[in-house]
Amino acid sequence: MERVELECFLILAAELHFGRTADRMRLSRARVSQLVQRLERRIGAPLFVRTSRRVALTALGRQLRDDLEPHHRAVEAAVARATAAARGIKRGIKGVLHVGFSSPPAGEVVMRAAEALRISHPELGVEICEVPFSDPFGQLRNGEFDVQLTELPVREDDLGEGPTLLTEERVLAISSRHPLAAGEKVLLEDLADVLLLTIDGELPDYRLEHHVPARTPSGRPIGHGPAVTNMQEALLLVAGGKGALLSAAYYTRPGVAYIPFEDADPIGYGLVWRAGDDTSAVQTFARTALEVVRNTQRILSS
């Protein structure tokens, strides 16, 4: 049995869409279909139910997915650790550290920490990149990032989490033409009067509920608008009046108003890494990021 068949099965089991599976694997739809059919012949029974409108797992398909996922994740983790070792991170604080950030405030801290490390640890290179909006942990898991500064909480068994480094006021990004944009504050109950943009991607249920809640605190339903994959797409729809977005940061764009919540808890940001992979380089970056935040707080309070 070829690994590509199993990988194709697991991606299709998550996406339930041949087109998106083909895009993720960089294959044609015909090749994806061929791999699935080959695996089904090996198994001896259908793993998916296919119609012109939907793809769904059979009971056997769900069983195979549940049995395979832990082992597939373990293989990916092993490859990620080998990749990190090859980059020299395992040899202390030499090499290149790849750091992700999930929003402008997090990016500012990451950039300042990277600049500080260029002076204090010139032997450690730091490369930074934004975390994909629709896949918050994928690049961390596969080794493209070694650590990332992202919204908390993180409830993933295979990821480690540091303390909260900074907090940001939660705001509602909404069209400047919407009636709520005229106010200075909004309430969580006001979400019943808007359509929240949904996120099309690999988000765990608890993070999806955090970004796109289904109901207000009193239980009123919240309408959901189009699905987006990145922040620029989301802001384009917000400016066009197609939906609103819960955010922890201000992204400059004409036609978008940011209204703070009066009753929502602030969003915290912390460092996240692969469990058991908090190398010397990661620890050094964490200490530097904490120092950057503390220095900034001292300047603001003086």
Side-chain angles (χ1 to χ4, degrees):
M1 187 174 295
E2 298 181 15
R3 181 182 175 184
V4 67
E5 295 175 5
L6 299 179
E7 183 178 0
C8 182
F9 165 75
L10 287 172
I11 294 176
L12 183 57
E15 295 286 355
L16 297 178
H17 191 282
F18 278 86
R20 290 195 294 269
T21 300
D23 290 342
R24 285 181 58 181
M25 297 191 72
R26 297 182 180 179
L27 299 174
S28 67
R29 295 191 185 194
R31 179 58 175 160
V32 169
S33 181
Q34 183 185 54
L35 290 170
V36 172
Q37 290 172 4
R38 185 194 301 173
L39 180 60
E40 289 178 327
R41 286 195 296 270
R42 293 182 190 275
I43 298 296
L47 300 172
F48 296 93
V49 176
R50 309 165 181 82
T51 69
S52 60
R53 294 191 175 185
R54 63 189 293 267
V55 178
L57 283 162
T58 63
L60 182 62
R62 290 193 296 272
Q63 175 187 319
L64 182 61
R65 177 201 60 192
D66 294 343
D67 288 342
L68 282 177
E69 277 186 336
H71 302 288
H72 185 259
R73 183 168 289 183
V75 170
E76 287 186 327
V79 172
R81 286 192 292 270
T83 301
R87 288 200 299 261
I89 296 176
K90 290 294 186 180
R91 295 193 297 270
I93 56 173
K94 297 180 180 180
V96 178
L97 191 68
H98 296 78
V99 184
F101 62 91
S102 62
S103 71
E108 183 68 20
V109 172
V110 166
M111 286 189 287
R112 290 184 181 181
E115 192 61 38
L117 284 171
R118 289 190 183 97
I119 299 172
S120 63
H121 293 83
E123 71 278 15
L124 176 64
V126 180
E127 295 183 1
I128 66 176
C129 186
E130 189 170 4
V131 175
F133 189 57
S134 57
D135 187 11
F137 307 123
Q139 289 180 275
L140 181 62
R141 284 185 167 123
N142 67 24
E144 293 181 57
F145 294 151
D146 302 301
V147 62
Q148 64 186 48
L149 184 57
T150 192
E151 293 93 344
L152 301 177
V154 174
R155 301 169 186 157
E156 308 297 307
D157 293 340
D158 61 330
L159 300 180
E161 172 186 327
T164 300
L165 287 183
L166 71 153
T167 59
E168 283 292 316
E169 182 180 48
R170 204 169 200 197
V171 298
L172 180 68
I174 196 166
S175 168
S176 57
R177 301 187 302 274
H178 194 280
L180 288 176
E184 295 183 357
K185 295 279 187 177
V186 291
L187 301 171
L188 290 172
E189 283 299 318
D190 291 330
L191 294 179
D193 300 322
V194 302
L195 290 178
L196 285 183
L197 298 179
T198 56
I199 300 174
D200 183 10
E202 299 286 330
L203 267 72
D205 290 343
Y206 71 90
R207 279 184 85 85
L208 190 61
E209 176 64 20
H210 181 71
H211 290 286
V212 193
R215 294 184 177 276
T216 68
S218 70
R220 298 166 67 199
I222 300 173
H224 289 170
V228 296
T229 59
N230 59 70
M231 182 57 72
Q232 292 307 315
E233 180 185 3
L235 294 179
L236 181 65
L237 291 174
V238 170
K242 304 299 183 182
L245 182 72
L246 297 181
S247 178
Y250 296 80
Y251 299 77
T252 302
R253 186 177 181 89
V256 177
Y258 295 92
I259 315 300
F261 280 95
E262 185 175 329
D263 56 346
D265 292 332
I267 294 179
Y269 292 83
L271 291 172
V272 182
W273 55 86
R274 292 180 295 278
D277 222 4
D278 52 337
T279 64
S280 298
V282 169
Q283 294 174 19
T284 299
F285 183 86
R287 288 193 296 270
T288 304
L290 179 60
E291 184 177 346
V292 164
V293 172
R294 287 175 174 171
N295 288 340
T296 301
Q297 291 173 342
R298 280 197 292 268
I299 292 173
L300 293 175
S301 61
S302 63

